Amino acid sequence: MKITDHIKKSNGKTLFSFEIIPPKKGKNIQELYNNIDPLMEFNPPFIDVTTSREEYVYIEKEGLLDRKLTRMRPGTVGICAAIKHKYNVDTVPHVLCGGFTKEETEYLLVDCHYLGIDNVMALRGDAMSHQKYFEASNGGHKYAKDLVTQIQNLNCGKYLHDVMEATNKADFCIGVAGYPEKHLEAPSLQTDLKRLKEKVAAGADYVVTQMFFDNQKYFEFVEAAKKMGIHIPIIPGIKPIAVQRHLQLLPQVFRIDLPETLIHSVESCKTSKEVRQVGIEWAIQQSRELLAAGVPVLHYYSMGKSDNIQAIAKELF
Ligand code: FAD
């Protein structure tokens, strides 16, 4: 079922969902299930599965370093199918521009369609670690908007190169990313919102936000988006702080601000367990306010570990 239909069916009740990361290749999927199991009692109507682009790995061979380009966490669509089958829940594969040709994307979407996956999250992806700026892959898309257009074309039965007449159209519900504190490359929040509007015009059905730690940023973003003429659901993405290092890492990677009170609370912690507890309490407080404001879904970034998400969900759902 489409995310937008889940939201409609909920009649204004806020839904619970979360995002997981595929295991590294060579690892067992059981670990993933062990982290999903404790969250199923909160009835998530959907679970997102991220996609990682290819990266360089260095392998030592006879004293020399051999460089290989490889995808360390493959299998997003397979994992979506496995979870859908095991838990009878909708799954949302993240589809990236970076690292994929348009043809590869088409094959992936055809697989999703055959597997009965009704939702996809269309994202550009980030630059590779050796690049300063994102570069489109050879034969790939440059912006998420172009990926949305490709998916929307499939929904209209239009495949690449017009080689065949489609008798069976896809019907994907398309999610895109939004940034309450603007995307790190955008010159301003207003410009970034214009880009978001272009994704909506291309066919996006809902937005999931980047993490934020001050709800005011989300509320203002939703208002600004409405003023811009964006009227699709904007789902807040919540990440509980889990380790002290997040104080530096999250602002550096995502260019987001952390509130002073939160910084102070984390810095006052003596053990990593205390830091995790502060993260849980902050996320509960954030979630309570967002629930009261009637957000359609509370979407949690689990980063592979579910104990903290479980502790948060227990208080709210
Ligand atoms: P876009 O919408 O293409 O925007 C990228 C930048 O380009 C923005 O600054 C925008 O303002 C600008 N822009 C857009 N169109 C134009 C134009 N026509 N001309 C000039 N500038 C333009 N990354 C992963 O690798 N895997 C994941 O699974 C993943 N999941 C995510 C889930 C969520 C909810 C979010 C918020 C992010 C996720 N990301 C993921 C990160 C995402 O890939 C990065 O934030 C990426 O840098 C931007 O992706 P986007 O889809 O927002 O890109």
Side-chain angles (χ1 to χ4, degrees):
M1 189 162 129
K2 294 182 176 190
I3 306 298
T4 44
D5 289 335
H6 279 296
I7 293 172
K8 272 184 214 140
K9 217 181 104 195
S10 74
N11 275 329
K13 187 171 173 275
T14 301
L15 303 168
F16 163 76
S17 73
F18 60 95
E19 175 182 298
I20 54 158
I21 305 172
K24 282 197 173 159
K25 57 184 176 183
K27 301 284 175 200
N28 200 310
I29 196 169
Q30 188 55 46
E31 200 186 317
L32 196 62
Y33 293 152
N34 293 345
N35 276 298
I36 295 174
D37 286 345
L39 300 180
M40 293 315 290
E41 65 171 293
F42 308 110
N43 297 318
F46 64 92
I47 299 172
D48 274 51
V49 184
T50 64
T51 294
S52 306
R53 62 176 307 177
E54 76 283 34
E55 57 189 282
Y56 282 111
V57 292
Y58 295 86
I59 305 145
E60 202 182 328
K61 238 190 205 168
E62 293 159 13
L64 294 171
L65 279 183
D66 194 13
R67 192 169 83 152
K68 293 264 182 251
L69 194 58
T70 186
R71 197 161 275 132
M72 290 303 287
R73 294 177 187 272
T76 298
V77 172
I79 290 169
C80 280
I83 295 173
K84 187 174 160 63
H85 177 70
K86 184 173 163 65
Y87 297 99
N88 193 22
V89 64
D90 278 305
T91 45
V92 187
H94 290 191
V95 184
L96 297 184
C97 302
F100 294 87
T101 65
K102 292 170 199 165
E103 276 76 15
E104 285 166 338
T105 298
E106 185 171 275
Y107 307 151
L108 184 150
L109 291 166
V110 167
D111 283 347
C112 289
H113 184 46
Y114 289 151
L115 287 163
I117 290 170
D118 296 326
N119 305 278
V120 290
M121 184 80 188
L123 299 147
R124 188 196 70 177
D126 286 316
M128 290 175 71
S129 53
H130 66 285
Q131 293 170 334
K132 192 149 191 220
Y133 301 106
F134 176 86
E135 283 170 29
S137 304
N138 240 341
H141 295 296
K142 191 170 178 192
Y143 295 112
K145 180 194 81 179
D146 307 322
L147 178 55
V148 173
T149 302
Q150 182 179 6
I151 303 166
Q152 192 56 27
N153 280 344
L154 280 200
N155 285 349
C156 299
K158 197 169 180 299
Y159 287 71
L160 291 174
H161 319 307
D162 279 331
V163 284
M164 49 169 282
E165 194 191 329
T167 51
N168 182 6
K169 292 178 189 170
D171 188 16
F172 290 114
C173 175
I174 308 170
V176 290
Y179 302 84
E181 296 177 64
K182 92 171 180 67
H183 182 257
L184 55 111
E185 294 161 28
S188 72
L189 185 58
Q190 247 349 69
T191 311
D192 206 24
L193 274 165
K194 272 188 212 153
R195 302 303 184 195
L196 179 60
K197 194 170 178 196
E198 287 169 9
K199 292 194 273 194
V200 178
D205 296 294
Y206 69 99
V207 178
V208 181
T209 75
Q210 183 57 278
M211 64 185 75
F212 55 90
F213 293 88
D214 174 357
N215 285 347
Q216 205 47 39
K217 302 254 166 74
Y218 168 82
F219 294 134
E220 284 167 13
F221 178 70
V222 172
E223 271 315 301
K226 271 189 202 147
K227 268 197 197 134
M228 180 78 71
I230 298 170
H231 298 295
I232 58 176
I234 301 184
I235 298 173
I238 308 289
K239 173 168 169 47
I241 294 264
V243 289
Q244 186 124 24
R245 204 162 53 94
H246 279 158
L247 289 190
Q248 287 77 43
L249 196 71
L250 301 178
Q252 188 194 355
V253 175
F254 303 111
R255 306 287 160 82
I256 49 168
D257 267 357
L258 299 181
E260 285 306 321
T261 341
L262 176 60
I263 298 170
H264 180 72
S265 302
V266 173
E267 283 179 342
S268 313
C269 292
K270 300 210 168 40
T271 63
S272 48
K273 203 172 159 202
E274 278 177 32
V275 174
R276 217 166 165 78
Q277 191 54 32
V278 166
I280 290 170
E281 280 162 22
W282 190 271
I284 291 173
Q285 174 203 309
Q286 261 196 288
S287 304
R288 281 219 172 98
E289 195 184 7
L290 291 163
L291 262 176
V295 298
V297 183
L298 281 168
H299 185 73
Y300 294 92
Y301 295 112
S302 87
M303 314 304 270
K305 291 265 182 286
S306 62
D307 60 313
N308 51 358
I309 310 295
Q310 187 189 17
I312 297 160
K314 254 197 181 128
E315 293 293 319
L316 304 156
F317 293 95

